Amino acid sequence: MKLFSGILGGKTIAAFDKFLLECNVPFAISRMEDGLFVAANDRFLETFNIKRDHLKRYNSRSIALWQSTYERNQFIDEIKQQNTSIKTTEIQPQNANDPVRYIEMCSHIPSFDSGKYIITCILDNTEKHRLTQELEYTKNRLASLIAAMKDGFIVLDKQFRIKDVNQRFCEMLGYSKDKLELMHLKDIVPETRYERTMPHIMKQIETDGCTDVHESEMYRHNKTIKPVRIRAYTHESTEPSKSGYWLIAQDIEQSVEMSSEHSDFYCDSATQLPNKLWFLDRIARMIARAKLTDDQMALLYIDIDHFSLFNDIYGHEFGDKVLRALASRIERILRANDIFARMDNDEFALLICSKNIKNNIFDIVRRIQGILSELIEIDYRNINATTCIGISLFPQDSLSDHELIDNAIAATLRAKDYGCNKFEFCSKEQNIEVREQLALENALNDAMLMQDIAIEFQPQINLDDNRVLGFEALIRWKNPTYNTINADRFIALAVKMGLITDIDRLVITAVCTAISHWKERQFTPKIAINISQKTLESAGFIHWTIDELKKHGVESTQIAFEVSEAALLANTNALQTLGNYGIELIVDRFSGNVAALSELKKVGVKKLKYYSNIIDVLDKNLLKNIYSINRTLGFETVIVGVGTEEHASMLQGVQGAVAQGFYYAASMNEESTMKFALETPNL
């Protein structure tokens, strides 16, 4: 098929044709004088449902690219002035049942045809237009909800400057919106409150993304004190300048008045919690809203184990105190939009709404059971209370409020069949997954106690001369039940369980021990150790590391720390300190982010590690270029995970290539590592 070459001829034009035909974007060529199409690629014909034989019957107006001759002439004038023009237009459907389409049209006059023809590229932006409209609708809906809130709403930037507030907050403090948006949070929070509360809030928000409810105070416009309850949420944006925090401020004085008005109807007298009637009303509303917003929800039905014994032995008044104490503990960890109520004698219900609740529910349940099982002192008696919890998920388990509650109650009864302090999901598949997770966590805890975590070493090879340059320490966990467990899996588990810092320190100690053994036999390799961001940020890590090296007689130049790009950029000062001690710094699985290279140089990074999948997407010349550019910038480049002959052959002949993987050698224990290095200096 010919496009321009069919009109103008010539080898250069034929090459241009080839590009247009193979391009996956709709292209067409039309005459300047009347807009008639003379050529088009297949994608253009498909987009506008035109048969190739009929193409020359159409012009740009007949397919609704233009609504009038005047509009087209304006566009032509723009092209003649600038040589290129871009226009967004909507195309009305020929069939009334079809949707309107929104397209972006980029037109250009080629330099080789004396201005007789226009080449037009079509981009279909219908989906983008739909998403933009939905986003605008969501933003307007959110703005309406914030404006209608009964609580104050404050938007802060990362420096705690006030960027936006709702009308309710203005009314609470008596300031105008314009004046508040020129203020800092310090201007409206008493200094002693600010200094006492903010460090705790920041620590919690960095960990959980939101905070517990804190009682605080704020200044009204006349400098009198307004008691408030505040809750903070982190707010991340794709534009860093727009990231910051959201604060919800509840007027304590007003909430006390409101609660007294509704205490008889919606309040449980024993615990002062909302009652079952209130909960049934709220869950119906939440489900209706979740169906519109695609939110997920989890309903936790909480039953206190053997609660009747408290009443029978100590009396009902004592039992009510136990209920109030347990309810108070749960309230401390609730978020602003969580719904919590007393449903029956010893039963509570908690409804949690979140976009990814299925991934977080396991941790939430364990946190609740953990705080409830702690000792409670009531009337000089230490009480230990446990709970069984049944969980049903929306929309996975049900779309109905009554079914969701019934499913959660049924799951609670199943949990009680297994004993005290248990929980069950409505879904059998979810229960199997949770039991496997619990068993794995228990096994990892046991492995840490028994020190069943092993360290192996995998060589890094210079492919120019096949020399062994050093080794990476790799952690291995071999369990009789699970056999050898994938390192990525149990490292992720260790992070989740809060064990990763212990594991990192265990690896450093094991590496130092191995190096001291090798040193006695005149074997002094450099060992790279993976360090997590959590460990880097843990208190006293740098001093502990230096002390550990000294204790084992290990030179700092004999080890290197591998860290992720994110960990490095977040902890430049700590890493510079480690670098100053002589510990080599390596970026693990470098993303190729050119903007980060200057920061890496500043910190003192010497080596960049890429995973072997980079070989699958690059040809050999591009691979050579990466090595060459990095070498010019002062970085050594290592490809890890090389496991096939195909990958190895791609690296062969690349100047300065350093590689690591099963293709060259598997990881090995301490004794085998020394034997490998001494017996095979060249592979």
Side-chain angles (χ1 to χ4, degrees):
M1 188 194 309
K2 297 180 179 180
L3 295 176
F4 271 113
S5 57
I7 304 165
L8 301 172
K11 290 183 179 179
T12 304
I13 308 304
F16 190 55
D17 271 4
K18 186 174 185 297
F19 165 73
L20 295 182
L21 289 169
E22 292 176 356
C23 184
N24 199 34
V25 176
F27 275 100
I29 303 164
S30 59
R31 294 199 308 218
M32 175 75 77
E33 57 182 339
D34 54 15
L36 282 171
F37 292 112
V38 295
N41 66 356
D42 290 338
R43 289 284 287 114
F44 185 89
L45 299 175
E46 291 166 9
T47 300
F48 292 99
N49 197 23
I50 299 173
K51 293 181 180 178
R52 183 164 294 284
D53 294 343
H54 298 166
L55 176 66
K56 294 184 180 180
R57 300 178 190 176
Y58 291 85
N59 64 20
S60 51
R61 186 173 178 187
S62 62
I63 62 170
L65 293 181
W66 306 111
Q67 305 304 318
S68 67
T69 303
Y70 173 76
E71 191 179 354
R72 181 180 183 274
N73 289 341
Q74 276 191 316
F75 193 62
I76 295 297
D77 289 342
E78 187 177 332
I79 295 176
K80 286 179 178 177
Q81 290 173 16
Q82 303 178 14
N83 206 39
T84 298
S85 187
I86 298 173
K87 180 180 184 298
T88 300
T89 188
E90 64 178 56
I91 299 180
Q92 298 297 327
Q94 296 177 355
N95 188 332
N97 294 324
D98 292 338
V100 174
R101 285 196 299 169
Y102 296 86
I103 66 164
E104 189 171 81
M105 179 172 58
C106 179
S107 297
H108 175 71
I109 302 174
S111 58
F112 48 70
D113 74 341
S114 305
K116 295 179 183 178
Y117 297 96
I118 300 173
I119 181 167
T120 299
C121 158
I122 302 292
L123 296 176
D124 192 333
N125 284 340
T126 304
E127 181 64 11
K128 178 182 175 182
H129 184 272
R130 184 187 67 78
L131 292 172
T132 302
Q133 283 190 316
E134 284 187 5
L135 178 61
E136 193 63 30
Y137 171 77
T138 303
K139 284 168 64 178
N140 291 337
R141 184 88 178 272
L142 179 61
S144 299
L145 288 170
I146 291 171
M149 284 174 65
K150 294 180 180 178
D151 295 329
F153 185 84
I154 310 103
V155 178
L156 304 171
D157 66 11
K158 289 288 188 181
Q159 286 72 46
F160 304 109
R161 294 183 294 241
I162 299 173
K163 309 305 289 183
D164 194 13
V165 294
N166 67 352
Q167 185 58 32
R168 175 68 189 118
F169 189 67
C170 296
E171 293 167 359
M172 283 170 60
L173 299 189
Y175 287 104
S176 68
K177 179 179 170 70
D178 291 341
K179 185 154 188 179
L180 279 168
E181 289 172 2
L182 295 174
M183 299 171 79
H184 190 280
L185 189 61
K186 279 185 176 180
D187 298 328
I188 58 173
V189 178
E191 185 177 356
T192 53
R193 281 280 188 179
Y194 189 91
E195 291 176 353
R196 187 167 70 243
T197 308
M198 288 311 295
H200 178 69
I201 286 178
M202 289 309 302
K203 184 176 180 180
Q204 191 176 14
I205 208 169
E206 286 172 10
T207 305
D208 302 331
C210 66
T211 68
D212 299 333
V213 175
H214 295 270
E215 292 202 358
S216 187
E217 296 170 339
M218 289 185 176
Y219 286 128
R220 294 185 180 94
H221 70 290
N222 58 6
K223 293 303 176 183
T224 58
I225 294 295
K226 162 74 75 173
V228 293
R229 292 189 185 96
I230 61 171
R231 190 164 214 163
Y233 299 82
T234 186
H235 166 61
E236 297 298 334
S237 171
T238 51
E239 299 179 46
S241 62
K242 293 185 178 179
S243 295
Y245 309 99
W246 291 348
L247 255 63
I248 294 176
Q250 183 186 39
D251 187 335
I252 292 178
E253 294 164 340
Q254 187 184 48
S255 65
V256 169
E257 291 172 10
M258 290 178 65
S259 64
S260 62
E261 290 175 15
H262 299 284
S263 58
D264 293 337
F265 194 63
Y266 279 135
C267 185
D268 173 65
S269 58
T271 62
Q272 298 304 303
L273 285 176
N275 60 19
K276 184 176 182 179
L277 188 62
W278 179 89
F279 186 83
L280 293 175
D281 174 68
R282 288 307 175 95
I283 190 174
R285 293 188 199 182
M286 292 289 283
I287 286 178
R289 190 179 72 179
K291 287 176 180 177
L292 295 174
T293 58
D294 292 329
D295 277 346
Q296 297 178 5
M297 293 191 295
L299 173 60
L300 280 60
Y301 205 85
I302 304 167
D303 186 298
I304 302 172
D305 296 324
H306 307 307
F307 177 74
S308 59
L309 291 177
F310 295 126
N311 285 333
D312 295 343
I313 297 172
Y314 303 114
H316 286 275
E317 186 179 343
F318 185 89
D320 287 348
K321 289 180 180 179
V322 172
L323 289 175
R324 284 195 291 273
L326 295 176
S328 175
R329 288 188 173 186
I330 295 177
E331 283 187 301
R332 288 206 307 266
I333 63 170
L334 297 182
R335 302 169 309 158
N337 60 342
D338 294 338
I339 294 176
F340 181 50
R342 184 185 181 191
M343 300 295 280
D344 209 336
N345 182 36
D346 59 350
E347 296 168 1
F348 298 88
L350 172 61
L351 187 68
I352 302 168
C353 184
S354 172
K355 286 290 183 188
N356 58 346
I357 189 64
K358 188 177 179 182
N359 298 330
N360 299 333
I361 189 62
F362 180 62
D363 294 330
I364 293 170
V365 172
R366 291 209 309 179
R367 187 178 179 190
I368 289 172
Q369 287 192 321
I371 63 166
L372 293 183
S373 61
E374 293 171 2
L375 283 177
I376 309 170
E377 185 180 328
I378 298 174
D379 294 346
Y380 306 104
R381 294 186 179 93
N382 287 327
I383 301 300
N384 182 257
T386 59
T387 58
C388 282
I389 301 176
I391 306 126
S392 58
L393 302 176
F394 172 92
Q396 293 92 328
D397 298 329
S398 177
L399 297 174
S400 153
D401 51 351
H402 291 293
E403 283 186 7
L404 207 63
I405 294 171
D406 289 345
N407 289 341
I409 292 173
T412 305
L413 295 174
R414 284 203 308 274
K416 292 177 80 69
D417 289 340
Y418 288 104
C420 297
N421 214 36
K422 305 295 182 183
F423 64 89
E424 282 284 304
F425 285 84
C426 169
S427 159
K428 290 182 180 178
E429 293 78 11
Q430 190 84 13
N431 281 324
I432 292 170
E433 186 180 320
V434 166
R435 289 194 186 106
E436 287 178 352
Q437 176 85 352
L438 281 172
L440 193 60
E441 287 189 13
N442 290 334
L444 181 55
N445 267 321
D446 291 343
M448 291 294 293
L449 290 171
M450 303 301 293
Q451 296 191 337
D452 285 342
I453 305 292
I455 308 300
E456 294 186 348
F457 304 89
Q458 190 172 45
Q460 296 173 350
I461 313 297
N462 184 329
L463 300 185
D464 286 343
D465 53 13
N466 288 333
R467 282 184 305 112
V468 176
L469 297 181
F471 296 82
E472 179 182 358
L474 300 173
I475 191 166
R476 296 287 183 258
W477 177 25
K478 295 179 181 178
N479 179 277
T481 304
Y482 300 98
N483 297 318
T484 300
I485 300 167
N486 179 277
D488 288 342
R489 183 183 180 193
F490 81 77
I491 289 297
L493 186 63
V495 171
K496 188 175 179 182
M497 294 171 64
L499 294 174
I500 191 61
T501 297
D502 293 334
I503 286 179
D504 283 348
R505 292 192 177 202
L506 182 151
V507 173
I508 292 171
T509 299
V511 167
C512 288
T513 302
I515 290 174
S516 64
H517 292 165
W518 290 329
K519 193 175 180 181
E520 294 170 0
R521 301 163 73 177
Q522 285 74 53
F523 175 50
T524 55
K526 174 169 279 192
I527 307 296
I529 305 168
N530 284 280
I531 302 295
S532 71
Q533 183 169 344
K534 195 82 172 174
T535 300
L536 271 178
E537 294 168 354
S538 63
F541 171 69
I542 294 175
H543 294 300
W544 178 89
T545 299
I546 302 308
D547 289 345
E548 198 69 11
L549 295 179
K550 288 177 181 176
K551 186 167 77 175
H552 290 84
V554 174
E555 298 292 332
S556 57
T557 53
Q558 287 185 268
I559 65 168
F561 280 170
E562 294 188 11
V563 298
S564 69
E565 198 173 329
L568 182 142
L569 295 174
N571 296 277
T572 53
N573 291 337
L575 288 164
Q576 276 181 316
T577 303
L578 289 167
N580 292 338
Y581 277 110
I583 295 172
E584 184 180 332
L585 303 176
I586 303 169
V587 175
D588 189 28
R589 303 197 182 196
F590 182 56
S591 67
N593 179 8
V594 178
L597 288 175
S598 61
E599 199 68 30
L600 306 190
K601 290 283 286 184
K602 187 170 77 175
V603 174
V605 170
K606 302 293 184 185
K607 195 177 291 184
L608 305 176
K609 295 185 80 171
Y610 297 80
Y611 203 69
S612 59
N613 56 8
I614 193 176
I615 299 173
D616 298 326
V617 296
L618 299 177
D619 62 29
K620 196 159 190 169
N621 286 331
L622 286 173
L623 203 58
K624 287 180 178 178
N625 287 341
I626 287 176
Y627 270 91
S628 176
I629 291 168
N630 287 348
R631 189 165 55 251
T632 302
L633 293 172
F635 297 112
E636 186 180 332
T637 306
V638 182
I639 303 287
V640 298
V642 179
T644 66
E645 188 171 350
E646 182 183 359
H647 283 172
S649 64
M650 278 283 285
L651 291 169
Q652 209 63 44
V654 176
Q655 184 184 353
V658 178
Q660 172 187 335
F662 281 101
Y663 180 81
Y664 305 104
S667 58
M668 54 200 97
N669 63 24
E670 181 183 320
E671 186 63 31
S672 300
T673 298
M674 188 178 74
K675 186 177 179 183
F676 174 87
L678 297 178
E679 292 182 358
T680 55
N682 296 86
L683 293 178

